[in-house]
Amino acid sequence: MAAHNELGQWGEQVAADYLQAKGYTVVVRNWKSGHRDIDIVALDGETLVIVEVKTRRNRLFADPESAVDSRKISSLRQAANHYVKLYHADQPVRFDIVTVTGVVGSMPQIEHIEDAF
């Protein structure tokens, strides 16, 4: 497996563990809607939370959350719309970003941006 794929999978696991420790229920990971995907679908009480996870080795070149641009936001909204319609979800929906900075085997730095967009 390519190193960047391994880092991404590690970051998504770290994010899922972090959310569960905060009391969220992880419903599904890596949900696909055609060529679009949602990293984590979770519940925070009665709120359906669509979580985009960004993992980077460090913050030297840019903050990980800066990779969530208008194109990515549009894609996430479309995927979330499909998810909500497919599963007849009728609860409020929120979009969060979880950034994970570090490398496999290290203590990661985690930032959780609730209601990011």
Side-chain angles (χ1 to χ4, degrees):
M1 175 181 300
H4 70 278
N5 289 337
E6 183 178 315
L7 182 68
Q9 287 181 352
W10 171 75
E12 286 184 13
Q13 184 62 53
V14 167
D17 292 345
Y18 167 83
L19 291 170
Q20 288 174 322
K22 283 187 69 174
Y24 288 57
T25 300
V26 173
V27 177
V28 67
R29 291 176 51 189
N30 298 310
W31 187 81
K32 305 283 187 213
S33 172
H35 65 279
R36 294 177 180 87
D37 72 322
I38 300 172
D39 293 331
I40 299 173
V41 177
L43 289 171
D44 179 17
E46 293 298 315
T47 302
L48 185 70
V49 184
I50 306 300
V51 182
E52 176 66 11
V53 179
K54 289 297 177 193
T55 307
R56 299 291 185 268
R57 293 181 192 286
N58 56 56
R59 293 179 174 262
L60 293 177
F61 300 107
D63 290 328
E65 62 272 17
S66 67
V68 184
D69 58 14
S70 60
R71 185 174 168 188
K72 183 63 179 176
I73 289 169
S74 176
S75 178
L76 282 168
R77 285 184 173 150
Q78 289 175 25
N81 187 47
H82 183 205
Y83 182 92
V84 166
K85 287 181 178 178
L86 183 65
Y87 295 105
H88 307 287
D90 61 354
Q91 62 263 66
V93 177
R94 186 177 82 216
F95 293 86
D96 290 5
I97 300 172
V98 174
T99 66
V100 178
T101 307
V103 293
V104 177
S106 72
M107 178 60 78
Q109 179 183 4
I110 302 166
E111 183 178 358
H112 182 189
I113 304 166
E114 292 185 19
D115 203 17
F117 51 89

